[in-house]
Amino acid sequence: MSTITASYNVTPNEPTPNVSLWLSESDQVARWSHTSTIYIYKENQTQNALERMRDSLSKILVHYHPLAGRLTWLEGGKVALNCNGKGVTLIEAESQKTMDDYGDFAPSEKLKNELIPPVDYSQPIEELPLLLVQLTRFKKGSSNNNNNNQLGLAIGVAFCHVLCDGLAAIRFINAWAKLTRGEVLDSIEMFPFLDRTIMNSTYPPRAPRFDHPELKPLPLKLGTTDTIEEQKKEKTAVILRLTSQQVEKLKKKTNDERPQKEETLRPYSRYEVIASHIWRCASKARELEDLQPTVVRVSADIRNRLNPPLPRNYFGNALAVALTPKCHTKELITNPLSHGAQKIREAIELLNDEYIRSQLDFIRCHEQLDRIRASYLDQGEPKNAPFYGNPNLTIVSWMSMPVYEADFGWGKPGYFGPGAVYPDGKAYIIRSSDEDGSLVVSAHLQTAHKELFKKFFYEDI
């Protein structure tokens, strides 16, 4: 249990533009609720931590002033961003638990309720802060614990996804951390590029040039006509770790098993291999029928995929989604791992400039966005949104994000990951804090499939 000891509304410490900021199609289809992440620190040098964070937050918000604004609803399920300087929320809390009591910090309702700042979705959207941060100090360990002098702390972040994607959010956190530890911002990537109109694909909108199945309902479980029952089932999250040796073993196995006709292609990447492994293990754990169609949704940073490319410091959602070709469960499980990896690759390779701009036009041509927006409520229950779970998956790579640069003055985080249980079928691949090539997989599944998934995950390596 955690007790809130202080809560502040932090505003920019200088006047900022009071304007309405145009939101791109990529922003409009993002969840309007908050994405939760958590940073865990083992160091104890946290004197005046909140005071320093509060001071530097007011300074960094001058540059990132849209974060201090508020959303409002428009017709057709669209939202607008009012840069009105209302501020963000910064909370200080104390936990009655030690760091060890939380184990591997796998997302759970208990972890979210104790370490992630609460968002009151009963309030009008115009009143909801777009950023909330909670610093929680852990209780000192018992005397018989080897880490008995270690208190440690958590920084829980709730970031409104409409504002930006994960990379932009991480860059904001890193810039804020740098100011907090008394350094100056000396890189262009730490200052946001705020003009989202450069994402405006065409005007007037052109007809989409592709069918875009990634924005339509996905395959259903055989014998069902909707996803209602699947969505009702209890969900959980599991943290699985892969050593660098295990990662390389999976890569070698996958590339060695490629059909001869594919041997001239470039080797499969870490993401393609690990995503294929997750897909296969989930299909086995779900005990799907042999002829069950299944697909994986992949998302990619499009800053360098558009022509011309977006600025590296673009602050917004620069994401596009693609879908693997359909395959059957038996096909996925009985073929070598390279079979799934090739399908993952085919999805990624779809995302060129022409396909991305067609996808943006597809979104613009919809008067009602509710059916294609992943608008999940805080509890993870979908509201007028597609269901991407059983028998399908969404596999997200956070491997390239600089998440361990968030040093606020008491060292780098020892752990970073999702702070809440997300809908069934979501998986994240993250670099571990050891920075030695090892990885962390945070998989969000139906509770009934958790143990089998863990079993196959390691058994199949």
Side-chain angles (χ1 to χ4, degrees):
M1 181 175 178
S2 296
T3 303
I4 292 177
T5 56
S7 180
Y8 302 95
N9 181 63
V10 183
T11 57
N13 73 348
E14 295 178 17
T16 56
N18 190 342
V19 296
S20 179
L21 194 65
W22 184 85
L23 296 175
S24 74
E25 283 71 35
S26 190
D27 297 321
Q28 292 288 357
V29 293
R31 281 194 316 274
W32 63 263
S33 55
H34 295 67
T35 296
S36 301
T37 55
I38 191 165
Y39 297 81
I40 303 299
Y41 299 85
K42 297 179 180 179
E43 287 71 13
N44 298 327
Q45 294 80 13
T46 58
Q47 190 174 6
N48 301 323
L50 195 79
E51 184 178 329
R52 287 186 283 132
M53 291 178 71
R54 183 181 171 192
D55 179 64
S56 58
L57 182 55
S58 69
K59 293 176 182 176
I60 197 73
L61 284 176
V62 174
H63 304 292
Y64 288 84
H65 64 86
L67 279 174
R70 295 292 185 269
L71 297 179
T72 187
W73 288 112
L74 301 176
E75 289 185 7
K78 295 184 178 181
V79 289
L81 173 57
N82 294 323
C83 299
N84 50 25
K86 283 193 172 183
V88 304
T89 299
L90 181 61
I91 295 170
E92 185 174 36
E94 292 182 355
S95 175
Q96 301 304 310
K97 297 180 179 178
T98 67
M99 183 185 294
D100 289 340
D101 288 336
Y102 287 95
D104 60 6
F105 290 94
S108 66
E109 278 299 300
K110 184 172 290 187
L111 182 139
K112 180 174 74 73
N113 292 336
E114 296 178 1
L115 302 180
I116 302 297
V119 185
D120 183 3
Y121 289 110
S122 68
Q123 296 293 312
I125 195 172
E126 293 82 3
E127 300 300 322
L128 295 178
L130 304 179
L131 171 67
L132 304 94
V133 180
Q134 178 175 318
L135 182 149
T136 306
R137 290 184 174 85
F138 296 116
K139 181 182 176 182
K140 187 176 179 179
S142 61
S143 58
N144 59 1
N145 190 309
N146 292 332
N147 297 323
N148 61 340
N149 291 321
Q150 184 183 80
L151 283 77
L153 59 85
I155 293 179
V157 180
F159 221 116
C160 179
H161 207 329
V162 171
L163 263 289
C164 65
D165 56 23
L167 179 59
I170 293 301
R171 284 177 174 163
F172 163 77
I173 294 291
N174 292 348
W176 175 25
K178 192 167 188 176
L179 277 186
T180 304
R181 63 180 187 262
E183 299 181 25
V184 297
L185 304 184
D186 54 4
S187 166
I188 189 172
E189 291 184 357
M190 293 190 168
F191 294 94
F193 183 91
L194 299 177
D195 182 7
R196 303 177 188 220
T197 59
I198 62 170
M199 278 278 282
N200 205 343
S201 54
T202 53
Y203 189 82
R206 296 168 59 194
R209 278 74 72 201
F210 300 88
D211 189 44
H212 296 292
E214 69 276 2
L215 297 177
K216 298 176 182 179
L218 303 188
L220 296 170
K221 278 191 71 176
L222 294 177
T224 66
T225 57
D226 57 45
T227 63
I228 293 174
E229 291 305 314
E230 289 301 310
Q231 294 184 60
K232 288 179 181 178
K233 292 178 180 177
E234 183 182 0
K235 297 174 289 292
T236 189
V238 58
I239 297 291
L240 300 166
R241 299 178 184 275
L242 288 171
T243 65
S244 58
Q245 291 81 10
Q246 288 172 319
V247 172
E248 290 306 313
K249 184 177 180 181
L250 272 175
K251 283 184 65 178
K252 185 177 187 307
K253 178 183 178 183
T254 305
N255 285 296
D256 287 349
E257 291 176 344
R258 285 186 297 174
Q260 191 171 6
K261 64 180 180 179
E262 296 177 5
E263 288 180 358
T264 57
L265 302 176
R266 60 183 169 83
Y268 291 114
S269 68
R270 283 189 306 174
Y271 173 75
E272 291 162 347
V273 170
I274 304 303
S276 178
H277 181 57
I278 293 170
W279 191 9
R280 174 192 272 183
C281 293
S283 297
K284 291 168 71 174
R286 287 165 165 173
E287 299 180 314
L288 299 171
E289 294 183 33
D290 286 351
L291 296 180
Q292 170 66 59
T294 174
V295 295
V296 171
R297 295 174 81 245
V298 301
S299 63
D301 177 5
I302 62 175
R303 287 170 177 80
N304 289 323
R305 291 176 180 265
L306 290 175
N307 185 21
L310 298 177
R312 289 183 302 167
N313 56 339
Y314 177 80
F315 186 76
N317 284 284
L319 295 174
V321 177
L323 208 63
T324 61
K326 282 183 186 178
C327 72
H328 295 137
T329 300
K330 184 177 181 180
E331 170 193 351
L332 185 68
I333 292 173
T334 59
N335 276 295
L337 206 55
S338 59
H339 186 78
Q342 180 60 28
K343 292 186 178 295
I344 299 286
R345 173 171 291 183
E346 289 173 23
I348 296 169
E349 290 180 342
L350 278 174
L351 295 174
N352 56 27
D353 181 78
E354 184 181 9
Y355 193 91
I356 294 165
R357 294 194 184 278
S358 174
Q359 189 176 98
L360 296 175
D361 285 329
F362 182 94
I363 297 166
R364 291 180 72 191
C365 290
H366 276 71
E367 292 185 2
Q368 294 289 335
L369 290 183
D370 287 344
R371 291 187 179 275
I372 56 174
R373 175 189 287 121
S375 51
Y376 293 99
L377 292 178
D378 185 50
Q379 292 82 6
E381 297 301 327
K383 179 185 179 183
N384 300 325
F387 176 66
Y388 300 132
N390 193 14
N392 310 299
L393 290 167
T394 299
I395 305 177
V396 180
S397 172
W398 284 354
M399 287 185 286
S400 63
M401 296 203 304
V403 298
Y404 299 109
E405 293 178 16
D407 178 0
F408 286 86
W410 45 84
K412 295 182 179 182
Y415 173 79
F416 168 85
V421 177
Y422 290 115
D424 170 41
K426 197 76 174 276
Y428 298 88
I429 308 172
I430 313 163
R431 286 183 298 115
S432 83
S433 60
D434 295 332
E435 302 279 22
D436 60 356
S438 55
L439 299 174
V440 175
V441 173
S442 179
H444 302 244
L445 302 162
Q446 293 175 15
T447 303
H449 304 146
K450 174 182 174 179
E451 293 306 318
L452 273 179
F453 179 79
K454 288 168 62 178
K455 174 180 179 288
F456 294 132
F457 190 84
Y458 291 112
E459 186 177 84
D460 290 356
I461 297 177

